[in-house]
Amino acid sequence: MDQPKKKFYTPGEALPKIAAYCAYQERTTKEVESKLREYGLNEDEAGDIIIRLSQEKLIDEERFAKSFVRGKVGIKKWGRRRITQELKQKGLSDYCIKSGLKEIDGDEYYQNLIDTLEKRNRVEKEGNQRLRRQKLTMFLTVKGYENDLIKMALDDLGKEPEED
């Protein structure tokens, strides 16, 4: 089957399309630039449109980072390290990444870690306690949690919650 021919747009035609693309969900400058290049725009034309979208607040990388962090912590239960890594891959500045990470509530974050650990512990088949602990640690590391928090959570696993 033949690939459908790509349609190329003039900057005037591309602007409303890309504005709708940005309005649909938060986007990074890198994503928008890539899309504009698919539309056949050159670097200068894409740059002009990106500046305009930024001025009109359709692209805001700090807002993107905050939204991304809230989603990944709240829904995917990711840790800070994984989130930071993903945001860097999306081309966000360290400032935007730090700003996004401020959205994390420490208590909710640790509770996510505990919940994720307990859920994984219930399905882990490894009987050897040392290997089981290693597997759980590896799982939580891939999720992006910090080693000190993982150790703390593993040490607390199976203990009765203390009364305040």
Side-chain angles (χ1 to χ4, degrees), residues 17 25 39 75 101 114 131 163:
K17 278 189 76 65
Q25 81 179 43
Y39 290 169
I75 298 163
L101 290 173
I114 296 290
L131 290 176
E163 295 293 318

Side-chain angles (χ1 to χ4, degrees), residues 5-20:
K5 283 222 183 323
K6 274 212 159 136
K7 182 157 173 20
F8 293 105
Y9 299 94
T10 66
E13 294 168 330
L15 184 62
K17 278 189 76 65
I18 202 73

Side-chain angles (χ1 to χ4, degrees), residues 47 65 69 143:
V69 169
K143 282 287 237 181

Side-chain angles (χ1 to χ4, degrees), residues 3-106:
Q3 286 283 53
K5 283 222 183 323
K6 274 212 159 136
K7 182 157 173 20
F8 293 105
Y9 299 94
T10 66
E13 294 168 330
L15 184 62
K17 278 189 76 65
I18 202 73
Y21 177 73
C22 292
Y24 177 70
Q25 81 179 43
E26 293 290 342
R27 309 278 182 189
T28 66
T29 303
K30 193 173 166 183
E31 289 172 316
V32 172
E33 185 176 10
S34 168
K35 192 66 144 171
L36 288 169
R37 300 299 283 226
E38 284 177 28
Y39 290 169
L41 273 61
N42 68 35
E43 202 173 327
D44 290 342
E45 293 167 333
D48 291 344
I49 289 178
I50 286 171
I51 289 168
R52 181 147 174 211
L53 294 171
S54 296
Q55 288 168 339
E56 293 178 16
K57 297 278 185 243
L58 282 165
I59 301 178
D60 182 336
E61 292 200 330
E62 190 174 353
R63 190 176 67 211
F64 174 90
K66 289 178 176 183
S67 168
F68 185 89
V69 169
R70 283 191 303 268
K72 297 306 176 197
V73 169
I75 298 163
K76 295 258 189 202
K77 311 283 188 240
W78 283 3
R80 286 184 184 92
R81 290 167 54 194
R82 171 111 185 244
I83 291 169
T84 301
Q85 191 179 9
E86 295 279 333
L87 288 173
K88 280 184 179 168
Q89 281 181 334
K90 291 186 176 294
L92 269 69
S93 69
D94 288 345
Y95 171 80
C96 288
I97 292 171
K98 280 191 183 106
S99 180
L101 290 173
K102 287 180 185 163
E103 293 292 299
I104 297 174
D105 171 68

